[in-house]
Structures are given as structure tokens and as C-alpha cells.
Amino acid sequence: MAPWGELFAGVRGVLLDISGVLYDSGAGGGTAIAGSVEAVARLKRSQLKIRFCTNESQKSRAELVGQLRRLGFDISEGEVTAPAPAACQILKERGLRPHLLIHDGVRSEFDQIDTSNPNCVVIADAGESFSYQNMNSAFQVLMELESPVLISLGKGRYYKETSGLMLDVGPYMKALEYACGIQAEVVGKPSPEFFKSALQAIGVEAHQAVMIGDDIVGDVGGAQRCGMRALQVRTGKFRWECSGTIMAHGSLELPATRDSLASASQIAGKQVYATTPR
């Protein structure tokens, strides 16, 4: 196991997941995870470049940022990389007109997209809108296309709210893949393009960055495949997460216990526990 000084040598940027790392979503706007507001503030006072990376697809970026600011976080919409704007760019570039199976909270992100006579399906975390009728409508659109295109805003299995674990978009995406005999195009973590766009936004190379998240597959595995170092927080869905092939370079535990970035074994005052990466 490399010493922390070696492991974090040359780090210039930090990518931060949001749900399960900064806060747990839920009724009343959710709750900030203990120590996370202070950790973000400490990161911003450092020389590191920061980017917030989320697969959130039940809220627009504006709504998400407003919610986080009300919880005390220093964050702006321009600092967030999210899948819906990236998906819209893809749709425009490829002349795709989507049938939208999405949550009403993120529908405004697609206001400038032509949805007439659909030639693809976009699926996101639709929550209660994942009814049989809506899933079947998406299935029918895909089956009627000569070359069906399914775009998914992430492929997470589940996430944590204040009320408990919630099914994410991944299981529904997999159902459409299986039923239609196709493979979805994932926009969001763990897609390499998602991480590359976040790194480009802060002008940092993959080997100069570290990803911090609670999802062993989407956050840790996705970042590592892009050449980044990755840490897993012991919050959010951490205790339910396991993977036989992916191991974080280390784990972080809140609340913070120190006052500065005093050594390579700390990032934003979070205590780091070393593990051996595979």
C-alpha cells in the first residue's frame, strides 16, 4: 500500500458526488450530512479545483443548487456537472427527438428539445412515474423503431433518502434493454464522457484528480477507469455497497476532526482510512 503522500502526490482537482456525500435527499429538502458543509468550505479555501458531479435526475440543476444552498453549501449552478444538460446536447447534435420517461422535476431541462414523432427514448429516475403504463409506452416506442436508441441518465441501482433506500434508474433501464434486446447509452456516471467533461470544466487531467463518492460502481469504478484516484465516503449508501472487482483507494469518514489540510492523509478535513486498491 502506497503512503498517502505518494497516493495524493500531484492532485490538483477534486470531483464531489452530491447525494449521499453532501446530503441525503428526502422530504422537506433533505438533510446535510454531518460535516459536509464545512468540508466543502474547506476544500474551496484550498488550492484545489472543485467540481460537483451528480447523476441527480429528479431535479434541474437550478433546483438542486437552490436546495443545497438552503442547506448551507457554497455552490453555484455553473459548478455542477449533471446528466440532463449533457443528454440535451447529444439529442441536438444527433437530431434525436425523445420520448421522455423522466421525473417532472427535471422536465424543464428538456424545454428546448423537440419531442414530436419520437425516434429515441430518454429514461431517468422517474420515481412514481415508473408505472407499467409508462414503461410499456417507452417499450412500444423503441420496438417500433428500425434502429432503437435508449439514452439513460445514469444506471445507478439505488440511492439513499432520509426515509431509506430508493430504486434508481438502473433497474428500469435494464428492463427496457432486456425487453428490446438493445443496450442503453448511459449519460452520467459511470460513463467516461461524463467524468471527462467534469475534468475539462476545471482544466485538470485525470491523473491529477480524485473522485469522492458513495457509489462503488458509479463513482469509484467509473473514476478509476478514467485514470483517476477515487475515495468512498462512509455515508449515503456506503454500508450497502459492495463489489468483487472494485476497491476504492481509501475511504473517508465524517464529521471532520481537524482544522486544516495538514497532511496527505486529509482532504478537506475528512479523516482518511487507507485501503489497498485492486
Side-chain angles (χ1 to χ4, degrees):
M1 179 174 58
W4 283 109
E6 291 181 24
L7 191 56
F8 292 100
V11 169
R12 295 180 51 232
V14 176
L15 305 187
L16 282 171
D17 183 30
I18 293 179
S19 179
V21 175
L22 303 186
Y23 89 123
D24 286 327
S25 59
T31 58
I33 291 170
S36 59
V37 172
E38 295 81 1
V40 169
R42 203 170 281 181
L43 272 173
K44 288 201 163 189
R45 290 196 299 269
S46 76
Q47 299 300 309
L48 297 169
K49 296 183 177 180
I50 312 302
R51 190 74 181 173
F52 300 92
C53 299
T54 179
N55 271 5
E56 172 63 64
S57 60
Q58 285 198 357
K59 305 178 185 69
S60 66
R61 276 194 301 178
E63 182 182 353
L64 176 62
V65 166
Q67 185 170 316
L68 290 171
R69 291 183 67 85
R70 286 190 292 273
L71 292 174
F73 291 98
D74 176 12
I75 183 173
S76 65
E77 189 173 342
E79 295 175 298
V80 178
T81 296
C88 289
Q89 185 64 31
I90 290 171
L91 295 170
K92 291 176 181 178
E93 290 174 353
R94 292 165 57 180
L96 294 172
R97 302 177 304 277
H99 171 88
L100 297 173
L101 178 50
I102 62 176
H103 194 279
D104 285 343
V106 79
R107 199 168 294 276
S108 62
E109 297 274 19
F110 295 87
D111 282 348
Q112 304 304 313
I113 299 297
D114 182 7
T115 57
S116 63
N117 189 25
N119 58 3
C120 74
V121 168
V122 170
I123 185 172
D125 179 12
E128 297 296 330
S129 293
F130 276 135
S131 64
Y132 172 81
Q133 180 179 354
N134 289 341
M135 284 288 290
N136 198 54
S137 293
F139 163 75
Q140 290 173 335
V141 169
L142 290 168
M143 292 298 284
E144 290 171 0
L145 296 172
E146 184 176 344
S147 300
V149 175
L150 173 61
I151 296 175
S152 183
L153 305 192
K155 65 173 186 179
R157 297 169 295 172
Y158 55 87
Y159 57 93
K160 183 176 178 293
E161 287 196 345
T162 53
S163 59
L165 297 181
M166 311 293 288
L167 276 176
D168 204 344
V169 64
Y172 300 96
M173 178 199 81
K174 287 293 184 181
L176 289 177
E177 284 184 330
Y178 176 70
C180 301
I182 60 175
Q183 185 170 350
E185 300 177 27
V186 178
V187 180
K189 297 173 291 185
S191 166
E193 289 73 22
F194 183 87
F195 288 105
K196 289 175 184 176
S197 67
L199 292 169
Q200 184 177 20
I202 57 175
V204 171
E205 299 293 330
H207 69 276
Q208 300 172 317
V210 60
M211 175 72 202
I212 300 175
D214 67 327
D215 188 320
I216 193 69
V217 176
D219 296 327
V220 174
Q224 289 176 341
R225 284 195 296 274
C226 288
M228 296 170 58
R229 284 157 276 192
L231 302 175
Q232 187 179 23
V233 292
R234 296 184 176 187
T235 54
K237 58 184 180 181
F238 168 80
R239 73 185 182 93
W240 292 278
E241 287 286 87
C242 63
S243 172
T245 59
I246 303 170
M247 181 178 287
H249 289 90
S251 60
L252 303 174
E253 186 160 344
L254 292 173
T257 58
R258 301 194 182 182
D259 296 327
S260 66
L261 295 168
S263 71
S265 66
Q266 294 175 303
I267 290 184
K270 298 178 179 181
Q271 185 66 40
V272 175
Y273 297 84
T275 57
T276 305
R278 293 177 182 171

